[in-house]
């Protein structure tokens, strides 16, 4: 998993509440267990018209936001089913950070396991960030995980809280497999000792 230390990039505004995982990645795209290639399906029902053409009014299709790496969204982001394809689609599109006033628990946890930083802020702070994100190509935010701080295009700063263990994992690029491999020496030692004591096992 890629480390997340500091991210500077365009922030796209999505002022919609209760964005569920089916909106993030519709069920038609769940036929694969690969983590790549899902970016094309991100918000597909909003990004594309019924005839398959691009919906130019959707924020991520606008020229200023096509390379957005940060999403500023409404309350209760990621609700609905527990599909892990939702963070996969965000990551494959290039989104590394989502900022909202609240997240659905399963989606929130899945973000950390896939290298995405979900940040919870107050409604007042979200309003400020949504206004910043509305500046198009000038909507540049810097998210500093070490300092736990978001810096806006005008230099304003907003602090955020995050669980220390999750922060450690993101800073060091550790998913569940990476955490296990950190204990590889101890696991190997146990296996060798166990083999000598219980050769039949």
């Amino acid at each position: 998993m890629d480390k997340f230390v500091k991210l500077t990039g365009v922030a796209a505004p999505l002022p919609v509440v209760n964005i569920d995982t089916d909106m993030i990645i519709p069920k038609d795209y769940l036929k694969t267990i690969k983590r790549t290639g899902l970016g094309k399906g991100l918000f597909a029902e909003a990004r594309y018209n019924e005839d398959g053409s691009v919906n130019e009014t959707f924020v991520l299709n606008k020229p200023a936001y096509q390379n957005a790496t940060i999403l500023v969204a409404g309350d209760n982001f990621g609700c609905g089913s527990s599909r892990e394809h939702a963070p996969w689609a965000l990551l494959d599109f290039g989104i590394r950070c989502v900022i909202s006033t609240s997240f659905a628990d399963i989606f929130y946890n899945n973000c950390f396991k896939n290298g995405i930083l979900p940040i919870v802020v107050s409604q007042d702070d979200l309003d400020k960030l949504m206004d910043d994100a509305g500046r198009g190509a000038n909507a540049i935010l810097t998210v500093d995980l070490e300092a736990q701080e978001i810096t806006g295009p005008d230099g304003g700063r907003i602090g955020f809280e995050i669980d220390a263990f999750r922060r450690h994992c993101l800073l060091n690029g550790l998913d569940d497999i990476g955490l296990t491999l950190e204990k590889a020496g101890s696991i190997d030692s146990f296996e060798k000792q166990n083999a000598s004591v219980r050769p039949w096992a």
Side-chain angles (χ1 to χ4, degrees), residues 2-155:
D2 291 339
K3 296 179 180 180
F4 190 116
V5 180
K6 181 184 286 188
L7 172 67
T8 297
V10 172
L14 194 58
V16 180
V17 299
N18 301 321
I19 293 176
D20 63 21
T21 52
D22 189 55
M23 181 178 177
I24 297 171
I25 183 73
K27 62 182 182 301
D28 297 346
Y29 294 88
L30 305 185
K31 300 172 183 176
T32 179
I33 57 172
K34 293 182 180 179
R35 300 187 184 199
T36 57
L38 290 169
K40 64 183 178 184
L42 180 68
F43 298 116
E45 293 178 355
R47 282 173 65 199
Y48 308 109
N49 299 313
E50 289 186 9
D51 63 1
S53 61
V54 172
N55 174 8
E56 296 180 359
T57 66
F58 185 68
V59 62
L60 293 180
N61 290 334
K62 295 179 180 179
Y65 298 110
Q66 288 178 1
N67 295 312
T69 56
I70 301 166
L71 195 61
V72 183
D75 189 55
N76 196 29
F77 190 88
C79 56
S81 67
S82 60
R83 63 188 67 169
E84 196 167 5
H85 293 71
W88 292 353
L90 286 163
L91 194 61
D92 193 60
F93 182 86
I95 302 293
R96 291 294 313 275
C97 177
V98 182
I99 305 171
S100 180
T101 48
S102 72
F103 294 88
D105 288 343
I106 295 176
F107 175 83
Y108 185 77
N109 292 328
N110 281 339
C111 280
F112 287 104
K113 293 180 180 182
N114 288 282
I116 296 174
L117 173 60
I119 298 177
V120 176
V121 296
S122 69
Q123 185 62 57
D124 285 345
D125 285 340
L126 186 75
D127 291 342
K128 294 173 188 174
L129 293 167
M130 198 70 76
D131 182 64
D132 286 338
R135 301 184 186 190
N138 295 319
I140 304 294
L141 298 181
T142 295
V143 179
D144 188 332
L145 180 55
E146 285 189 312
Q148 293 180 214
E149 195 171 65
I150 304 166
T151 304
D154 294 332

